[in-house]
Amino acid sequence: MLGVRDFDAFTPDNDPYDEHDFGSFKAAGERMLWKIDYYDRERRFGSPDPADPAVTTRVLTIMLSSEY
């Protein structure tokens, strides 16, 4: 989704940990939210080390802001 790829409005207020894992964009007149979560390889628990792709599966969720 281009809205996720092109999002670059990260600030200390909306990205306090400088992770760049949450944002928003408009599509078809709707405000959309996106979030990247970091799970273990089996996607059952949080990753023990999100920076290590050998133990991490990243999951992108995109939703209407009204669903949040």
Side-chain angles (χ1 to χ4, degrees):
M1 178 117 285
L2 296 177
V4 176
R5 184 195 73 184
D6 294 342
F7 185 84
D8 65 356
F10 299 106
T11 68
D13 288 331
N14 68 19
D15 189 25
Y17 302 106
D18 201 31
E19 293 179 339
H20 293 30
D21 62 354
F22 179 84
S24 65
F25 60 94
K26 284 219 169 197
E30 297 282 347
R31 182 174 167 86
M32 309 293 290
L33 302 176
W34 60 268
K35 172 79 172 111
I36 300 171
D37 291 297
Y38 308 93
Y39 292 97
D40 65 7
R41 298 296 286 169
E42 289 77 35
R43 295 179 308 279
R44 294 183 51 188
F45 304 104
S47 173
D49 182 358
D52 183 354
V55 298
T56 303
T57 298
R58 293 182 179 106
V59 175
L60 172 64
T61 302
I62 301 173
M63 69 185 111
L64 293 167
S65 63
S66 62
E67 295 176 315
Y68 184 68

